Amino acid sequence: MSEQREPWAERTVEMPPGDQNPFRRGRAQVGHARSDQPAQPHVPTGTGWPGDTSAIPRPVFSEELRLFRRGAGLMLMGALFAFVCWGLWAISDGGSLGTPVALFVLTGLVALGLYALARVVGRVVLEKQLGRVRRSARGAHLVTAVFLAGVGLAYLRQIDWVVDAWSWFAGLF
């Protein structure tokens, strides 16, 4: 080949001079390789130039929504546990429900922020740094569920009769 000053030149084939065309018209062979030629192993070419992470295809919105739903049950179970524990705490407090409702809404907003942060960290670490494709949101849902379960346990620790029952149960062993 001649000088390769353009970046595309390294991927092109020079044609021989004159009318000597090395290519023939016909059909491409599809299917099994001929027995006289050994089968070549598949060599993956990647998704673009080395270090180019913008070539990772982004799923469409419906696919993104389907991926979001994977693992959502974990977060919903954590939210249900936190809600039940909050309800027990709010009822046992005996006062007005204004402050407990505001506190639960704030807790929900913090949980949503934690979920968003876990998704961003997953995108940066898995997709950008490691070049992997995320197949679900289970990790972010799990982090949020653990947070909500911890919040529920914190609510339970503030209820006198639950603490007394736990102390009695722990005293049996």
Side-chain angles (χ1 to χ4, degrees), residues 77-145:
M77 293 208 24
L80 181 64
F81 179 73
F83 178 73
V84 168
C85 295
W86 169 82
L88 290 172
W89 171 73
I91 291 171
S92 69
D93 191 31
S96 69
L97 289 179
T99 304
V101 167
L103 186 61
F104 190 70
V105 168
L106 181 64
T107 301
L109 291 174
V110 169
L112 287 176
L114 181 65
Y115 174 77
L117 179 67
R119 289 288 288 172
V120 168
V121 167
R123 179 177 170 96
V124 168
V125 171
L126 288 178
E127 290 184 1
K128 298 291 184 183
Q129 298 295 323
L130 299 178
R132 294 185 56 206
V133 177
R134 291 185 294 177
R135 303 200 195 302
S136 70
R138 285 188 186 118
H141 285 297
L142 180 64
V143 166
T144 309

Side-chain angles (χ1 to χ4, degrees), residues 60-76:
V60 294
F61 182 72
S62 62
E63 179 71 15
E64 189 77 29
L65 189 59
R66 188 178 66 79
L67 295 177
F68 165 76
R69 288 182 183 156
R70 285 187 183 173
L74 294 170
M75 188 168 70
L76 290 177

Side-chain angles (χ1 to χ4, degrees), residues 161-173:
W161 62 269
V162 172
V163 173
D164 292 341
W166 179 257
S167 298
W168 174 80
F169 182 73
L172 293 177
F173 299 103

